[in-house]
Amino acid sequence: MSRSLGIPVKLLHESSGHIVTVEMKSGELYRGNLLECEDNWNCQLEDITYTAKDGNVSQLEHVFIRGSKVRFIVIPDMLKNAPMFRRANEKIKGKSSIGVGRGRSAMRGRGTGRGTGGRGGAPPVRR
């Protein structure tokens, strides 16, 4: 089954080789070099600074993190200039603004939507 990856997953893959911070659902923090990541957010980190819920800090060499236990991942700011965002901006700029966000009614024209025609004819006029 072929699926298109969303921007968050693509961005996670782009951050391989950079220093990231991973916060777990339990409140623990891992900050280290991201070696590898998977589409389900499973991650391998090395040279980690681990901060426990109670604030104790320790150093770890290598960690594998299960993606379903991750609350969020902080990635480097430099990735905001990643090529994937340039392509997305070009697509947005290329579209005309006519009818954006208006659904099918913009295609039909104003006033030809609900309440006209149908079984009962024209709706009654209120005075």
Side-chain angles (χ1 to χ4, degrees):
M1 180 164 104
S2 169
R3 293 190 325 185
S4 174
L5 296 176
I7 287 182
V9 176
K10 288 181 183 178
L11 199 55
L12 183 60
H13 287 292
E14 286 281 329
S15 45
S16 292
H18 297 283
I19 294 176
V20 298
T21 302
V22 180
E23 181 170 326
M24 308 300 287
K25 290 180 180 178
S26 62
E28 303 165 314
L29 286 174
Y30 294 87
R31 179 174 174 79
N33 188 17
L34 181 64
L35 290 178
E36 188 180 8
C37 58
E38 299 173 9
D39 294 350
N40 58 6
W41 287 36
N42 289 346
C43 300
Q44 288 188 52
L45 299 169
E46 70 177 355
D47 301 328
I48 299 109
T49 302
Y50 167 74
T51 306
K53 288 187 282 189
D54 60 2
N56 289 336
V57 178
S58 58
Q59 298 294 317
L60 302 171
E61 220 175 281
H62 190 87
V63 170
F64 185 85
I65 296 173
R66 182 179 174 94
S68 64
K69 302 297 180 186
V70 173
R71 179 174 290 147
F72 64 84
I73 299 177
V74 180
I75 60 170
D77 282 341
M78 64 177 277
L79 292 176
K80 67 183 174 189
N81 300 321
M84 73 180 81
F85 292 124
R86 270 190 247 127
R87 280 181 271 156
N89 287 339
E90 288 171 5
K91 288 179 185 175
I92 292 170
K93 288 178 184 174
K95 290 184 179 179
S96 69
S97 61
I98 298 172
V100 173
R102 296 183 188 260
R104 289 188 300 170
S105 64
M107 303 300 278
R108 286 190 241 164
R110 191 175 178 112
T112 60
R114 45 160 76 153
T116 58
R119 285 174 143 188
V125 178
R126 292 188 181 181
R127 294 180 190 240

